[in-house]
Amino acid sequence: MSNPYKEIFRVPGAKGFSAAGFFARLPIAMAPIGIVAMLSQTRGEYWIAGAVSATFALTNALASPQISRLVDRFGQAAVITPTTIISIMAFIALIVGANQDWPAWALFASAFLAAAMPSIPAMLRARWTEIFRDRPELNTAFAFESAADELVYIAGASLSVGLAVALFPEAGMLVSTIFLALGTAAFALQRSTEPKVRPVESGVSQRSAIRSRPVQIITLALVFVGSTFATAEVSTVAITKELGQSNAASLVIGVYAIGSFVVGLILGALNPRMQLHRQLLIAVSVLAVTSLPLLIADTVPLLALAVFVSGVAISPTFITAFGLIERRVPESMLTEGITWVMTGIGIGMALGAFLAGWVVDNFGAQNGFFVSVAAGIATVVTIALGQRILAGGKVEAAMGPLPQPAE
């Protein structure tokens, strides 16, 4: 049997934009934790480190869909080049400010401007969609991107913290900024695979993609899914610390990502024929059920096993969610639609970390996983109630019924 991943990379230019995109998106994982590692060492205060990092993350979550909307209207290279330059200069200012003890307001301002960093994962998926639109290979490409996202989050965060600790406080952020500059430049220069700018479809208004009902449903669902990530991390750290084995936290979190990584690659190779909205309902149902063993994992080996099992449905959820966005959102809004869904994941991670931390502080480490269980149930309810809309036609389901001509 042929290797489906080998097949998608036979397309001219695919290896080039994929490699460039991998490095260009490393800052997504490196920057938030890199800011914390840098400022906590140079300032000696975790509150300002966390606040500056949160400023960057939340501003980027709100700005990315707007940047992607411009990409849909004017093209990738035309938009990501100036926005990336702004982000790079702001990151440099933040690094210098940390090193030279600039006032707090300057750090917050730099983090705010650095949030102009575009959503490279959305651009990558838009390029794959341009190549394999309405073909089964697109599912394989989305599976590869989901696996690559997992790898970025595993490697990026570890690399950023490791450099800051092993070399000097600013090292992680400096390398992250270099990856952003070189990776995005290489990505933007590959014009042969850049999606064409498409005019707005007849009968579809120029309003934001977030007004699309499928985008709203999937984004809300992935807010809940994102909260399970942060809950797993916060609760794992708390439980391993309580058990006197704090060093095991990174291993357990790594196992969580490995489960998702492996199952995502397998699903991409199989290309199931079931309708995507039903695949998504199954995936989130598995996600909810597999969160239950976390509640009774009271040793590190049991925790690692439970976390591995709970991660198996994450990549399938992402693959089918992005596949539905490709089918249910007008082509002229594709990049923005994908970015809104990714923004939902980021918002969910922020909310999940807060809620899990509050539960751990007030009810104990083991009870933090109740947030995962509640989020899993909420995800299933959201997708189940949205089945009819997610199963609808592309433009009609996305933007509402088209106006009918007068009799």
Side-chain angles (χ1 to χ4, degrees):
M1 187 177 75
S2 63
N3 183 342
Y5 293 100
K6 186 177 180 180
E7 294 300 317
I8 64 173
F9 283 107
R10 290 184 185 276
V11 176
K15 292 179 181 177
F17 80 72
S18 183
F22 180 82
F23 287 101
R25 66 179 158 186
L26 273 169
I28 294 172
M30 293 183 71
I33 191 65
I35 292 171
V36 172
M38 177 176 69
L39 293 179
S40 62
Q41 291 184 78
T42 59
R43 293 299 179 107
E45 296 176 308
Y46 278 95
W47 76 266
I48 191 169
V52 173
S53 179
T55 298
F56 165 76
L58 293 176
T59 305
N60 182 251
L62 295 173
S64 289
Q66 313 312 318
I67 294 171
S68 292
R69 188 178 187 186
L70 293 174
V71 166
D72 285 328
R73 292 183 62 187
F74 302 108
Q76 290 187 353
V79 175
I80 67 175
T81 300
T83 55
T84 301
I85 290 173
I86 293 171
S87 184
I88 290 168
M89 295 186 69
F91 275 132
I92 292 172
L94 184 58
I95 293 168
V96 173
N99 183 266
Q100 297 297 314
D101 199 27
W102 285 4
W105 68 263
L107 303 180
F108 283 104
S110 298
F112 180 84
L113 292 173
M117 185 174 72
S119 176
I120 296 298
M123 314 292 170
L124 285 161
R125 286 174 170 86
R127 291 201 181 206
W128 286 119
T129 301
E130 183 77 5
I131 295 170
F132 294 124
R133 191 182 304 276
D134 299 325
R135 291 168 57 184
E137 291 90 341
L138 185 59
N139 185 70
T140 302
F142 279 1
F144 172 80
E145 289 303 321
S146 294
D149 285 339
E150 296 280 357
L151 187 58
V152 162
Y153 278 105
I154 296 169
S158 300
L159 178 62
S160 189
V161 173
L163 288 170
V165 173
L167 299 178
F168 50 90
E170 302 87 359
M173 285 304 302
L174 182 60
V175 171
S176 173
T177 305
I178 291 171
F179 281 151
L180 177 63
L182 298 181
T184 306
F187 183 78
L189 287 172
Q190 298 182 62
R191 304 298 295 271
S192 64
T193 53
E194 181 177 345
K196 299 175 183 177
V197 176
R198 286 179 164 79
V200 177
E201 289 85 342
S202 175
V204 178
S205 71
Q206 296 188 33
R207 56 188 177 178
S208 172
I210 197 59
R211 301 289 295 275
S212 154
R213 289 193 288 275
V215 174
Q216 291 170 356
I217 292 167
I218 295 173
T219 299
L220 177 60
L222 291 197
V223 167
F224 297 127
V225 172
S227 70
T228 66
F229 298 167
T231 300
E233 293 176 1
V234 172
S235 299
T236 294
V237 169
I239 290 173
T240 53
K241 182 178 180 180
E242 191 175 83
L243 293 171
Q245 301 181 60
S246 297
N247 292 337
S250 59
L251 175 63
V252 174
I253 293 170
V255 167
Y256 182 61
I258 289 171
S260 174
F261 181 85
V262 171
V263 174
L265 288 177
I266 293 172
L267 183 65
L270 293 177
N271 267 324
R273 297 183 180 276
M274 183 185 295
Q275 291 178 307
L276 280 176
H277 64 283
R278 292 181 179 173
Q279 288 187 46
L280 182 57
L281 182 58
I282 292 172
V284 297
S285 298
V286 172
L287 189 66
V289 171
T290 54
S291 67
L292 296 174
L294 293 168
L295 299 175
I296 58 172
D298 54 1
T299 66
V300 170
L302 280 177
L303 180 62
L305 178 61
V307 164
F308 176 84
V309 171
S310 71
V312 299
I314 293 173
S315 275
T317 298
F318 285 172
I319 294 165
T320 51
F322 288 120
L324 278 167
I325 290 294
E326 184 273 327
R327 286 167 172 76
R328 301 294 175 253
V329 175
E331 294 175 7
S332 60
M333 297 181 176
L334 178 62
T335 310
E336 185 194 353
I338 293 173
T339 306
W340 273 114
V341 172
M342 302 198 74
T343 295
I345 299 169
I347 292 172
M349 290 178 70
L351 292 175
F354 171 77
L355 290 173
W358 182 84
V359 171
V360 167
D361 286 340
N362 289 277
F363 301 101
Q366 192 71 52
N367 290 317
F369 284 120
F370 274 106
V371 178
S372 289
V373 174
I377 294 171
T379 307
V380 174
V381 171
T382 301
I383 296 301
L385 293 176
Q387 284 289 285
R388 183 181 60 81
I389 292 174
L390 295 177
K394 183 172 240 180
V395 175
E396 183 171 353
M399 308 305 293
L402 299 180
Q404 299 298 316
E407 295 293 339

